[in-house]
Each structure stands twice: as C-alpha cells, then as structure tokens.
Amino acid sequence: MASGIPIEISGLTKRFGHVTAVDDLSFTVEPGRVTGFLGPNGAGKTTTLRSLLGLVKPTAGTATFDGTPYAKLERPLETVGAALDAAFHPGRTARDHLRVYATASGIAKARVDVVLEQVGIAEYANRRVGGFSLGMRQRLALAYTLLGDPGVLVLDEPINGLDPEGIRWIRIFLQGLAREGRTILVSSHLLSEVQQTVDEVVIISRGRLVKTGTLSSLELDSAPRTVVDSPDRSALATALDTAGLEYTPGRQGFIVDEPEPGRVGHVAFVAQVELNSLHRLRSGLEESFLQLVGEPNGPDATGLEPAATGTAAAEASGGPEASGGPKASGGPEASAQPEASGPADQPDAPDAPPAATTESEA
C-alpha cells in the first residue's frame, strides 16, 4: 500500500465563460482521516475534484497531491484511486471490467480478485455489470479505486443510493482504510449521508469555502435558541415584539432567537402571558449545514417546522455543475461514478437487461 499523502487545494478558481464555478478555494485533506467534501448541488464540488484529477484546467490556483499535480504522478493508479463518472460496459463481467484497467495501468491481474473480495462482490465476479443494481455498481466502482492499492481515495457521492446495510458497510470500510493511514476524500450534497462516516468536513457553497473542521465544531457553531408556546399565541407574539425579540412561528410554538429560556419566560411573565411550553433548542448538524450553505431551514429535531414568514436564508443557486459543466472522459483514471438512484444493494438476475449509464452531477 502506498502511504497516504495530503490533498492540497490552494487558491483554486475555475470559470466557464462568465460563470465562476470555483472561487479562490483553499483547503487541505490530511492522511488518516475520512474527510467529507460537502455542499449543495452546483456548489463546485465536482469541478474541484475534476481539477484535482487533471480533467479540468483551473483558471487559477493549484490542486495537487502533496504538491504534485495528478498528471505528473509517476504511477497514478497506485497513488490515487478515484471514482467520479460512470463508465461501465453493461456486457462485461465485473472481473473483466477490472482486468481492462489493471492491464492498461500495468497492475497485476491478481489484484482483481483481491479487490472484488475486499468490496464483497467476489461471488458475482462473472456476472455482467448490466445486471447489477446501483449498490453493486457502487461497490464495483470502489473496487476499481483500490486496484493499485493507493494511499489516497477520492470518491464522488459513494453513498448515494445505497440501502441502510450498504451505507453501514461503506462507513466501516472507509473508516478502516483511514486507520491504515490512507487519505480519504468523500463528496456529498447531504450531510446526513456522511455524518456517521467522516471525521472532518470541508463545506463549500457557490464555489467558495464556508467551513472546515470537525463535525463537533460544526454543531458548536450553531447558537442555541428558545422554544416557547402559549394558549394565547397572539398575546405571546405581542410580548415578544415589545421586547424586541426575533422569532419564527412553528407548529409547536415560536422559535425565539434567544439562547436563555429564562429571559423569554420573564418577558411572558411581565406581559402576564400564560405559557405551556418553554425550553432551549440547540440546532442539529443538518440545520447548521443548511445555514452555512445558504439553504432554507428545514424541520429540526423537535418537530418544529419554521413557517414561511420571517427571515430565511437565500436558496443556493445552481451552477455550471448542475447544467453544462464539463464531463469526465471514460478513461481508466476517470471512471466509475454510478447512477444517482436504483434498487437495493443486491444484484439482479444474470439476464437482466443492461441498465443505462448516466453521469451524476454533484
């Protein structure tokens, strides 16, 4: 196994005409950890990964592996395993699919059966890929990244479409690889998909960096608020307005932008408003993530759902990755990001019709 090396993004900018997909982006991914690369669709994740893998030429800045661009790595597949866009021939078996890339990269064919065993699909090695479910293709894509036993893995939406068993499997698998000292970068547009898998996060929105750090630091960034309710909500609203407290109506009361329930209770007491609910609410990870990337707030863990009124964050706009961004070629170093939806993590019958292969956008 090659040693894990840092992934270094420095001042990366990529423009497509007048559209800036990535804007002065800088971060480092260290070995020995699973790092989540997060952001809404169109945030610039895929453009960043394509720049890192030499599939897109940056307008400015660099994207390297410990200072070396991908194109200048002596043995790329033995240094970096990457799964971006789907590139499966539906008529080939899983074993033959991997043998093609092993031969092209000068890797011993014996590695094919080793990686099929690693990802748990050895018993389906002679099945045609066209009959595989999404989960099986995800595993085959991961097997491809492991062919050269690399120290760095770059995976675009590897959890997308997996069933609960498949998600648990890939979580344990990636964490095991990280413990071996490998560098693992996993992209996703949903924090909920990866929050039990990653150790650290890099969050971008509209091509810009908005947060790096651990998941616990993300949760601490979200200020606590107070939930309050009354049989007379009209009187409660008047009391909050008079006290100058900002709030959002919800299904179970008002969500007040005040961390101390005692202050909210005092406001109600002074106004002689009866209360039937008063407690502190700390935002969850998902809500913190949505606030960082400029997405509207969703329901929180208490079942409170902010109403349409009040101040809401602007929705993240779609970028060139949502429409019209460059596509990776089907070459050995750029293959294998499966479709975005599909059946459970089990193969279909051997004679199932070939599934269409499409490129997913991140």
Side-chain angles (χ1 to χ4, degrees), residues 281-304:
L281 168 67
R282 181 174 292 279
S283 298
L285 287 172
E286 190 71 27
E287 184 171 327
S288 300
F289 170 67
L290 294 176
Q291 290 173 350
L292 283 170
V293 300
E295 291 283 329
N297 291 335
D300 55 48
T302 66
L304 290 162

Side-chain angles (χ1 to χ4, degrees), residues 1-9 27-36 49 52-53 64-66 78-83 142 145-146 149-155 173-187 199-200 202:
M1 181 195 82
S3 299
I5 57 177
I7 295 172
E8 299 171 340
I9 308 296
F27 63 89
T28 301
V29 180
E30 298 291 348
R33 304 181 73 77
V34 180
T35 299
L49 298 183
L52 178 64
L53 297 171
T64 65
F65 298 91
D66 198 21
E78 295 177 28
T79 306
V80 181
L142 185 56
T145 69
L146 296 169
D149 201 16
V152 180
L153 292 181
V154 178
L155 309 175
F173 188 75
L174 294 180
Q175 290 172 342
L177 294 175
R179 284 194 296 271
E180 295 174 357
R182 303 183 202 238
T183 306
I184 314 292
L185 181 61
V186 179
S187 80
D199 302 301
E200 297 193 1
V202 174

Side-chain angles (χ1 to χ4, degrees), residues 124 127-134 136-137 342-355:
Y124 309 113
R127 297 280 186 92
R128 290 178 298 163
V129 179
F132 276 10
S133 67
L134 172 63
M136 298 296 290
R137 295 184 191 194
D345 192 9
Q346 293 294 333
D348 298 326
D351 58 350

